[in-house]
């Protein structure tokens, strides 16, 4: 579920300098989200706790750029907390999306930013119950350079606090399939070749994580795991795929797109090839400015 500052500025990517007072859902209801998704047969929900603009949907102690500076619940609200609770009450798994890119943080790109990021991650992994997935978007994310940003420290924190959570997209457990069109390759293998030795666990061993990062850089190649691709591999890994697509043209809610929700036949044309193609389908359904799933989206999900 994409929901945040962009919902109210009518944008897809924010600049990071938006006024927190702009975030003002009029009728927020996380239980309506969960009822809608459970009715559609979904089993898990991943919330954009922080998108690229850096606005946090929980009252993070790491930044004032969050719901605590907004009019939501008179500055005492916690969207992450309410969604987590609704998932628990509704029998749905809960996960979080935390953007490694942060356009609000002046320290981004320096070692100081990692302290901010780890604090935010610790808050999300400590305060909201079990997480089934922690999703790190790859857009403009910090490079594989421990001097600037230690990815293994990030993974180790998740392993410590949420040992059952899958670390997705930029991480060792689940990979992005390489597009945002809900499609897999003609042959989407989970066993993939590494061009360098990988003697240890990805979250612990630097050389192993570096080998996986090199594979990540080739994630849009058309052939990752055929027999020919396996020739000459220094090691093999199991890195399952997740493919994502939005129910609308954009990822955030825009009123102008209300008539452009994907139809049932179109959604089925995503579902069968994705699942039949050896991937998990992650369908984005954004919340509107009320803080609810909009009527057109509810209707097609009911179908």
């Amino acid at each position: 579920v994409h929901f945040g500052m962009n919902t109210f500025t009518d944008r897809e990517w924010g600049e990071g300098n938006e006024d927190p007072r702009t975030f003002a859902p009029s009728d927020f209801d996380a239980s309506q989200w969960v009822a809608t998704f459970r009715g559609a047969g979904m089993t898990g929900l991943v919330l954009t706790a922080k998108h690229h603009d850096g606005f946090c949907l929980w009252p993070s102690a790491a930044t004032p750029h969050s719901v605590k500076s907004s009019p939501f619940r008179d500055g005492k609200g916690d969207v992450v907390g309410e969604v987590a609770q609704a998932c628990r009450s509704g029998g749905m798994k809960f996960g979080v999306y935390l953007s490694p890119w942060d356009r609000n943080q002046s320290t981004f790109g320096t070692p100081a930013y990692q302290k901010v990021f780890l604090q935010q991650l610790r808050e999300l992994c400590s305060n909201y119950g079990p997480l089934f997935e922690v999703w790190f978007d790859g857009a403009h994310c910090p490079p594989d350079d421990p001097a600037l940003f230690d990815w293994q420290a990030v993974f180790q924190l998740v392993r410590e606090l949420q040992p059952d959570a899958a670390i997705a997209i930029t991480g060792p457990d689940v990979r992005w399939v390489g597009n945002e069109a809900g499609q897999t390759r003609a042959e989407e293998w989970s066993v993939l070749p590494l061009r360098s030795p990988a003697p240890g666990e990805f979250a612990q061993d630097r050389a192993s994580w570096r080998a996986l990062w090199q594979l990540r850089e080739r994630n849009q190649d058309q052939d990752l795991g055929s027999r020919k691709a396996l020739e000459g591999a220094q090691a093999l890994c199991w890195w399952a795929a997740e493919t994502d697509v939005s129910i609308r043209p954009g990822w955030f809610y825009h009123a102008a797109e209300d008539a452009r929700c994907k139809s049932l036949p179109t959604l089925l044309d995503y579902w069968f090839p994705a699942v039949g193609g050896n991937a998990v389908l992650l369908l984005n359904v954004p919340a509107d400015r009320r803080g609810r799933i909009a009527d057109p989206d509810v209707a097609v999900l009911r179908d």
Side-chain angles (χ1 to χ4, degrees):
V1 178
H2 276 67
F3 183 58
M5 187 61 69
N6 293 336
T7 309
F8 298 89
T9 60
D10 209 24
R11 302 187 66 175
E12 285 289 296
W13 280 14
E15 299 290 336
N17 57 2
E18 292 82 7
D19 187 339
R21 291 174 294 183
T22 305
F23 182 82
S26 60
D27 190 21
F28 180 77
D29 186 357
S31 63
Q32 185 256 0
W33 301 12
V34 172
T36 299
F37 301 147
R38 287 291 289 170
M42 298 177 180
T43 57
L45 186 161
V46 178
L47 171 67
T48 54
K50 185 189 78 169
H51 203 251
H52 310 323
D53 53 73
F55 183 77
C56 297
L57 294 183
W58 77 102
S60 175
T63 176
H65 198 57
S66 77
V67 288
K68 65 186 177 184
S69 301
S70 80
F72 176 63
R73 306 282 192 247
D74 295 323
K76 297 179 174 61
D78 185 341
V79 172
V80 177
E82 291 194 37
V83 177
Q85 179 57 51
C87 285
R88 284 193 294 272
S89 298
M92 196 167 207
K93 295 180 291 186
F94 177 62
V96 294
Y97 165 124
L98 183 66
S99 173
W101 186 28
D102 191 322
R103 305 186 77 179
N104 178 260
Q105 286 291 327
S106 61
T107 59
F108 181 78
T110 73
Y113 174 66
Q114 176 142 55
K115 295 180 181 179
V116 173
F117 188 80
L118 287 175
Q119 181 176 349
Q120 293 176 339
L121 180 61
R122 181 175 291 277
E123 291 170 352
L124 291 173
C125 288
S126 300
N127 299 331
Y128 299 102
L131 303 177
F132 85 98
E133 188 169 53
V134 179
W135 218 93
F136 297 127
D137 197 302
H140 297 279
C141 72
D144 178 37
D145 182 353
L148 292 176
F149 193 91
D150 188 346
W151 276 105
Q152 288 184 297
V154 172
F155 304 150
Q156 289 166 18
L157 183 62
V158 178
R159 292 281 193 256
E160 172 195 346
L161 299 174
Q162 294 286 344
D164 294 328
I167 305 174
I169 312 308
T170 302
D173 299 330
V174 178
R175 64 185 167 87
W176 181 50
V177 81
N179 64 70
E180 294 181 339
Q183 300 173 353
T184 64
R185 295 166 178 80
E187 294 186 351
E188 195 67 64
W189 300 98
S190 295
V191 176
L192 302 177
L194 300 177
R195 293 177 176 175
S196 302
E201 207 272 326
F202 292 123
Q204 302 287 340
D205 182 71
R206 167 68 183 161
S208 300
W209 166 241
R210 181 59 192 161
L212 193 66
W213 183 276
Q214 291 170 344
L215 177 57
R216 175 184 177 274
E217 292 174 337
R218 298 190 290 113
N219 203 29
Q220 291 181 297
D221 289 358
Q222 286 305 301
D223 180 9
L224 288 182
S226 70
R227 293 193 180 196
K228 182 174 179 56
L230 296 181
E231 292 177 359
Q234 295 295 303
L236 300 178
C237 69
W238 178 276
W239 206 17
E242 182 178 277
T243 179
D244 55 343
V245 69
S246 183
I247 199 169
R248 289 164 169 257
W251 293 87
F252 284 90
Y253 174 81
H254 308 289
E257 294 178 355
D258 276 353
R260 300 180 66 192
C261 282
K262 293 177 173 64
S263 65
L264 175 60
T266 300
L267 290 180
L268 292 177
D269 283 343
Y270 286 110
W271 166 254
F272 287 112
V275 176
N278 192 34
V280 170
L281 177 64
L282 182 64
L283 178 67
N284 175 67
V285 185
D288 63 19
R289 293 187 180 186
R290 297 173 302 168
R292 291 172 172 257
I293 306 304
D295 292 345
D297 308 65
V298 171
V300 72
L301 289 174
R302 186 179 295 120
D303 288 342

